[in-house]
Amino acid sequence: MAESSSGSRDDSGAVEAGGYRQELKRTLGSFQVFAISFAFISVAVGIFATYDDVLRNAGPVGIWLWLIAAVGQTLVALVVAQFAARIPLSGSSYQWASRLASPKVGWWFGWLTFCYLAIGVVAVDNALASQAFMPLAGMDPDEDTARLITLVVLLVQTVLAVLSTRIVSLINTVAVGLELTLVVVVAIALVIAVTLSGNGSVGNLTSRGVTENAPGYFAIGGGVMLAMIMGLATLVGFDSAANLAEEAKDPFRTVPRAIVGSVVAAGVLGMLFLITLTIAIDDIPRISASGSPVAAIMRTQLGAVMERVLLVAITFAFFGAGIVVMVACSRIVFAMSRDGRFPAHRLMRRVHPHTRTPVPATILTFALGVALMVGLPGAALLELITASTILPALTYGSTIVLYLAVRGRLGRRKGAFDLGRLELPVAICALVWTLVALFVLVAPREALVPVVVVAGLLCLGGLYFVAVLTLDRRALETEPGDVDAFTG
């Protein structure tokens, strides 16, 4: 008990050194923190939503690009974990840049993260409605129905997120356990089914499928490049654990381990899932033409009952991922607001005295989701969601540049996560990878509109940034707490 109490005081001391009171309740243990990051990544959800694009653009052989993305994103996660082990404050990259570069630079990190998370909530919940729940319920595809279901899901998630971080943690723990079990059990079941029936082929792993004679397969913006987006769009959000650092127990250890562990686990399990799915394809053209190839493979090899079990599990995984994104978004709003750097910051910084959650910030995330669902037509909403895949790459690249610039000043904490002599080569490799990832995301012709959308979001942020500089310049020039608290 004495050791636990001491650890609690030490954790709170990190918040106080940052210039804040410990307002959020520390309820998240090591597995719960891991579950936050893993649920955000949600490997089964990512593959379920993007496997059809891989089959159509690169053929079955395109799954091996997942391995490249997994290694690259793990390098990024290692750099992010270095920051998380030293500055365990809500707001992650916003806090790191504010304290190690300047509050002005930190504001832009926060704005990028906020835009990505606010759009991400809508993207995940709309996919839950259209790709999982409606097929499960036997509903015909209909955009208006999907939007209505999305609004209901957003409302339920908001209520749960407001009530308790512990409830959110419990949901995520169940969702992650279910997803891990699903991936392993389905992989084993598919191998057994293919072995017994003979319907499937190991040769699928090297087949170009329907893209066999496609022109420009290896060109810039061609099939191979487009297939890489599956890994880039799925293996993100691992830094969400850092956004909840003030609610984690022993954050100096649990948060960085969760960041790296979630990416490694997702990368390995995702590769296993993709290999077994691909071997289990009995008719490549038919499966490639399916609107949901994962469900089609399950139906063919394991029957309709297993397909429905998959859809139930995927629906719950979608829900868990969506609520994690919502909570992470509310924490970045809360973190920026308590520094006076977010619109309506006096309201957005409030924490409910009983639930110990930032209620106004959570409601704002819900309100933005409603506005996007109600106000944007289908094409515009799709372009906005596509643009959200570019934002994390920008944030991660900027975080790595920041790390390379300030790593010599970072403090060292005994027992905390530390790469030691490997930090520089890992950071350089991670930077090269993020540049490659950005090129892959923006090079295709289809990416023109999403790039314009990202530019528009940056311009919108720039207008508010100028307004703060004009009306309350001190908010962007001073940092609360001891500036040297996290440096060596």
Side-chain angles (χ1 to χ4, degrees), residues 203-214:
N204 291 343
L205 297 174
T206 56
S207 171
R208 283 179 53 176
V210 297
T211 70
E212 185 63 44
N213 299 310

Side-chain angles (χ1 to χ4, degrees), residues 346-437:
R346 289 182 178 83
L347 174 63
M348 295 300 153
R349 66 177 296 169
R350 293 181 184 174
V351 174
H352 196 279
H354 299 300
T355 65
R356 302 282 291 276
T357 56
V359 176
T362 307
I363 293 175
L364 172 66
T365 306
F366 167 72
L368 289 172
V370 172
L372 293 176
M373 279 288 98
V374 174
L376 286 183
L381 180 63
L382 180 61
E383 297 293 357
L384 185 65
I385 291 173
T386 304
S388 70
T389 62
I390 300 173
L391 291 169
L394 282 174
T395 303
Y396 293 145
S398 301
T399 301
I400 296 167
V401 170
L402 173 68
Y403 182 79
L404 288 169
V406 306
R407 68 184 188 87
R409 299 195 282 114
L410 287 174
R412 306 286 171 176
R413 183 184 179 88
K414 185 178 180 180
F417 182 88
D418 194 343
L419 288 176
R421 295 179 180 178
L422 293 176
E423 64 174 347
L424 183 57
V426 166
I428 292 174
C429 291
L431 180 59
V432 172
W433 164 250
T434 55
L435 294 175
V436 171

Side-chain angles (χ1 to χ4, degrees), residues 47 51 54-55 58-69 202 204-207 217 227-228 230-231 270-279 281:
I47 291 174
Y51 189 54
V54 174
L55 295 180
V61 72
I63 66 168
W64 297 108
L65 295 169
W66 174 276
L67 188 59
I68 298 174
V202 175
N204 291 343
L205 297 174
T206 56
S207 171
Y217 184 77
M228 177 75 80
M230 176 172 66
M271 196 71 252
L272 171 68
F273 196 35
L274 285 168
I275 289 172
T276 53
L277 280 173
T278 303
I279 291 174
I281 297 176

Side-chain angles (χ1 to χ4, degrees), residues 45 56 102 179 199 240 296 400 425:
V45 167
R56 292 169 191 163
S102 75
E179 186 170 354
N199 295 327
S240 56
I400 296 167

Side-chain angles (χ1 to χ4, degrees), residues 449-474:
V449 175
V451 169
V452 172
V453 171
V454 170
L457 291 172
L458 291 175
C459 289
L460 181 63
L463 292 174
Y464 182 75
F465 183 79
V466 171
V468 175
L469 278 179
T470 304
L471 302 175
D472 189 12
R473 191 180 189 89
R474 194 166 63 89

Side-chain angles (χ1 to χ4, degrees), residues 89-112:
L89 298 173
S90 294
S92 59
S93 59
Y94 157 71
Q95 291 284 2
W96 308 333
S98 293
R99 293 167 190 281
L100 298 172
S102 75
K104 295 183 181 69
V105 174
W107 187 91
W108 283 103
F109 274 75
W111 179 252
L112 281 172

Side-chain angles (χ1 to χ4, degrees), residues 21-222:
R21 289 186 297 111
Q22 179 69 53
E23 296 181 88
L24 304 176
K25 190 174 182 180
R26 291 195 183 276
T27 59
L28 305 177
S30 57
F31 184 78
Q32 286 83 7
V33 177
F34 167 82
I36 292 291
S37 284
F38 191 87
F40 194 122
I41 296 173
S42 198
V43 60
V45 167
I47 291 174
F48 186 85
T50 59
Y51 189 54
D52 57 336
D53 290 327
V54 174
L55 295 180
R56 292 169 191 163
N57 292 314
V61 72
I63 66 168
W64 297 108
L65 295 169
W66 174 276
L67 188 59
I68 298 174
V71 172
Q73 294 300 86
T74 299
L75 292 171
V76 176
L78 287 168
V79 177
V80 171
Q82 290 282 97
F83 274 132
R86 290 165 171 79
I87 308 179
L89 298 173
S90 294
S92 59
S93 59
Y94 157 71
Q95 291 284 2
W96 308 333
S98 293
R99 293 167 190 281
L100 298 172
S102 75
K104 295 183 181 69
V105 174
W107 187 91
W108 283 103
F109 274 75
W111 179 252
L112 281 172
T113 304
F114 165 70
C115 290
Y116 166 57
L117 294 173
I119 299 169
V121 177
V122 175
V124 172
D125 288 349
N126 191 239
L128 181 159
S130 61
Q131 298 180 34
F133 183 79
M134 290 176 68
L136 176 64
M139 299 179 182
D140 294 327
D142 181 78
E143 184 180 333
D144 291 337
T145 302
R147 288 183 181 234
L148 180 60
I149 294 171
T150 302
L151 293 175
V152 174
V153 172
L154 281 168
L155 178 60
V156 173
Q157 289 170 335
T158 302
V159 172
L160 293 174
V162 162
L163 286 177
S164 169
T165 303
R166 187 183 292 275
I167 293 176
V168 173
S169 172
L170 178 61
I171 291 171
N172 283 318
T173 300
V174 173
V176 167
L178 182 63
E179 186 170 354
L180 291 171
T181 303
L182 170 74
V183 171
V184 174
V185 170
V186 167
I188 294 172
L190 286 175
V191 170
I192 294 173
V194 170
T195 302
L196 294 177
S197 68
N199 295 327
S201 172
V202 175
N204 291 343
L205 297 174
T206 56
S207 171
R208 283 179 53 176
V210 297
T211 70
E212 185 63 44
N213 299 310
Y217 184 77
F218 294 102
I220 294 176

